[in-house]
Amino acid sequence: MEWLLLLFFMPFVLTMMFFNWLEKKFFSFRDREKLGEGEILLEGKKYFEAQLFFSEKLKYFPKSSKAYFLRGKCQFHLENYYSALFDFEQSISFDNTIGELYVWKGKTLYKLEEFDKAFLEFDKADWYYRSENAVALRWRGMARYCVGQVENAIYDFTRAVELGDEDAAHILRTKFEYIKKK
């Protein structure tokens, strides 16, 4: 009896799994196809137009992590930090495996002078990059310096310099004057 029941429900379960997989692939393909124009606007520093473009796309693809991420970058450049933070959090809720996303969220929190939270985001980014991204290390060092962890900040800057980051080298040479001005 159990085998008969299993044989009856197994095709249904397999069909549902297949359509779920197909839907994920279709949405990611559609995102790549439809967001290219907005990325060109973003690269051309037309932030307001790009922000409008991504807002329009989010009406049709409300679960697009990439669209939220790119709109967040536009909001950041337009200095709408709270809107950028919202977009980055939405993007993380749909895909939490993008290291660059944590860097941008940390930058936003840093601009809002929430250094403890910014440090945590940069730390997550560093974890995803496996300590091989100089930008994440430099920003984490800046946040660490602002929360009073000077020795650890120096280590992060030194590691970033080893990876080729000239900005971190400048910060170390000027004895943190760059950070104090911000």
Side-chain angles (χ1 to χ4, degrees):
M1 181 69 181
E2 292 85 19
W3 287 99
L4 185 62
L5 196 59
L6 182 65
L7 241 77
F8 180 70
F9 282 110
M10 193 58 121
F12 174 74
V13 170
L14 290 174
T15 304
M16 294 303 293
M17 288 173 56
F18 172 74
F19 282 115
N20 190 20
W21 172 82
L22 188 63
E23 182 182 28
K24 285 182 183 178
K25 294 293 180 190
F26 186 65
F27 276 127
S28 67
F29 175 74
R30 224 183 319 176
D31 284 352
R32 269 188 261 126
E33 290 291 316
K34 303 287 184 184
L35 298 178
E37 186 180 329
E39 290 182 70
I40 292 169
L41 290 170
L42 187 60
E43 289 172 9
K45 299 186 180 190
K46 297 178 181 177
Y47 302 122
F48 185 72
E49 292 87 356
Q51 183 258 336
L52 292 175
F53 176 84
F54 293 122
S55 294
E56 186 65 29
K57 291 300 177 186
L58 282 167
K59 290 179 185 174
Y60 299 107
F61 306 110
K63 293 184 179 182
S64 173
S65 175
K66 187 173 182 180
Y68 275 112
F69 173 56
L70 295 173
R71 187 174 76 171
K73 286 173 74 171
C74 295
Q75 298 286 12
F76 180 86
H77 288 296
L78 293 170
E79 298 181 0
N80 299 330
Y81 298 124
Y82 290 105
S83 297
L85 192 60
F86 172 80
D87 285 341
F88 294 141
E89 287 174 354
Q90 285 295 107
S91 183
I92 288 171
S93 74
F94 294 119
D95 185 3
N96 65 352
T97 62
I98 304 170
E100 184 182 7
L101 183 54
Y102 291 105
V103 172
W104 280 94
K105 185 178 176 189
K107 284 181 183 181
T108 306
L109 290 165
Y110 188 90
K111 290 286 187 178
L112 293 172
E113 297 182 1
E114 295 185 26
F115 303 117
D116 290 333
K117 292 179 184 176
F119 165 72
L120 293 174
E121 295 304 320
F122 295 132
D123 203 38
K124 290 177 192 174
D126 184 54
W127 184 83
Y128 278 106
Y129 285 125
R130 306 286 189 251
S131 297
E132 294 296 322
N133 186 297
V135 174
L137 286 166
R138 175 174 25 99
W139 278 98
R140 184 173 75 173
M142 290 171 62
R144 276 186 163 163
Y145 179 79
C146 291
V147 296
Q149 299 178 6
V150 179
E151 294 85 18
N152 292 334
I154 291 171
Y155 174 77
D156 283 343
F157 290 131
T158 306
R159 181 75 179 116
V161 170
E162 290 171 3
L163 293 172
D165 188 22
E166 294 178 10
D167 292 336
H170 177 72
I171 291 170
L172 284 173
R173 267 195 314 273
T174 59
K175 298 188 181 3
F176 305 108
E177 290 301 319
Y178 174 77
I179 298 173
K180 291 176 186 172
K181 290 179 185 176
K182 286 198 154 211

